[in-house]
Amino acid sequence: MLIRQAPRFRWSEVTDERLYLNRRELIAGAAALALFPGRAEAGPPPPVSQLAALPAAPNPRYRHADSPTKIESATTYNNFYEFGVEKEDPARLAGTLKPRPWQVVVEGHVAKPGTFDIEELLRLAPLEERVYALRCVEAWSMVIPWIGYPLSALLKRVAPTGQAKFVEFQTLLDPEQFPAQKKGVFGFSMSGLDWPYVEGLRLDEAMHPLALLTVGMYGKVLPNQNGAPVRVVVPWKYGFKSAKSIVRIRLVSEQPQTAWAKAQPREYGFYSNVHPSVDHPRWSQATERRIGEFRRRQTLMFNGYADQVASLYAGMDLKKNY
Ligand SMILES: Nc1nc2c(c(=O)[nH]1)N[C@H]1C(S)=C(S)[C@@H](COP(=O)(O)O)O[C@H]1N2
Ligand SMILES: [Mo]
């Protein structure tokens, strides 16, 4: 066990750039390794060209007016803080994630709790391709052909009871597979997030036909960096609501304590609906940069899905419930 705890990189594996570090940077590098161990152990995920194809019928009800973002961008510009805080980290480091075997526990206020193997989840309902825009709270967006089926299909299978009011999603907690979950010498992680990553929806939001249990994109299984083997996609909310690599879904009676709201309650609320006139405290949400474009675009209410989801929030003040 002791041996497994020791840094597992060998100097022969250290990249060329590292050889050019001067002495001061080398010391800083060693300090960074002590603070945030694990990074040197990781390697890149399988190339997207080698991922298994995943056939799915395009659902004509869920197309997008804009053409999809290039797959190269969608798989190399990612937020996945379990691998690090930089957008490039997941594509460089997500090789440690092992998406098979994989199980998802669905429990809580349900009549029929269960543990679903990923192969079983893939067969639970017909797979559809749906082109959705994903709008990050950092004011950029992408248009992605996702593969999955409505989350409601899984939730109906476990039969929520009358006490179920919210749905909580948990990402895998395993510092061996997610190096940035390792705590440094001062006991904190670089992102400031508590692990596992936790997200949540109100039950009626989770049952909405747009909420997609997602197992693939661009005709293939999900790349590690995009949340393999199973994630959620909630297209009318900021991207961080769409938890990746989930292993547990809990039906609960109280509003879940979500990872971002816990870390920065003033900046990230529970609802996080895309809202062009509710600014983030440090920047505007009125416009966004579509990855691959230069000119900024206007951000649309509910990310363009207002006609389908606005009724979920009738009578609610979305400036208070941000
Ligand atoms: N477990 C986990 N899920 C996560 C994140 C994360 O850091 N960890 N980042 C979120 C954020 S901020 C965004 S914008 C989307 C990005 O999804 P993509 O990389 O597939 O585009 O994933 C979300 N899901
Ligand atoms: Mo995001």
Side-chain angles (χ1 to χ4, degrees), residues 48-61:
V48 172
S49 60
Q50 280 171 31
L51 294 175
L54 190 62
N59 185 330
R61 290 196 48 176

Side-chain angles (χ1 to χ4, degrees), residues 94-133:
T96 44
L97 175 60
K98 297 284 168 276
R100 293 286 189 288
W102 194 274
Q103 293 185 325
V104 178
V105 174
V106 191
E107 61 181 13
H109 294 305
V110 295
K112 296 186 253 173
T115 299
F116 297 83
D117 191 81
I118 185 65
E119 308 302 337
E120 197 182 346
L121 273 185
L122 285 166
R123 291 190 307 263
L124 192 101
L127 295 180
E128 302 173 13
E129 181 177 82
R130 297 181 174 200
V131 186
Y132 286 165

Side-chain angles (χ1 to χ4, degrees), residues 73-84 87 90 134-138 140 142 144 146 169-172 178 181 191 193 195-199 217 222-227 231-233 237-246 259-260 268:
S73 307
T75 57
T76 57
Y77 189 85
N78 303 104
N79 276 336
F80 202 165
Y81 279 37
E82 284 85 341
F83 294 114
K87 303 274 182 296
L134 181 137
R135 168 62 157 79
C136 181
V137 73
E138 297 162 312
W140 50 264
M142 298 192 199
I144 297 183
W146 301 107
F169 306 93
Q170 286 184 21
T171 295
L172 174 70
F178 288 138
Q181 287 179 339
S191 61
L193 293 179
W195 311 112
Y197 193 95
V198 172
E199 256 310 331
M217 59 194 267
L222 280 175
N224 286 359
Q225 56 270 46
N226 296 87
R231 66 178 294 173
V232 180
V233 175
K237 292 178 180 277
Y238 291 114
F240 68 85
K241 298 298 286 181
S242 296
K244 294 174 165 180
S245 305
I246 56 177
W260 285 101
Y268 309 102

Side-chain angles (χ1 to χ4, degrees), residues 32-48:
L33 197 66
L35 284 169
F36 310 112
R39 290 175 65 95
E41 299 166 21
V48 172

Side-chain angles (χ1 to χ4, degrees), residues 191-229:
S191 61
L193 293 179
D194 257 358
W195 311 112
Y197 193 95
V198 172
E199 256 310 331
L201 297 169
R202 229 168 48 193
L203 182 58
D204 59 340
E205 297 178 314
M207 295 297 285
H208 190 281
L210 274 171
L212 198 68
L213 192 76
T214 303
V215 291
M217 59 194 267
Y218 296 90
K220 292 161 179 282
V221 298
L222 280 175
N224 286 359
Q225 56 270 46
N226 296 87

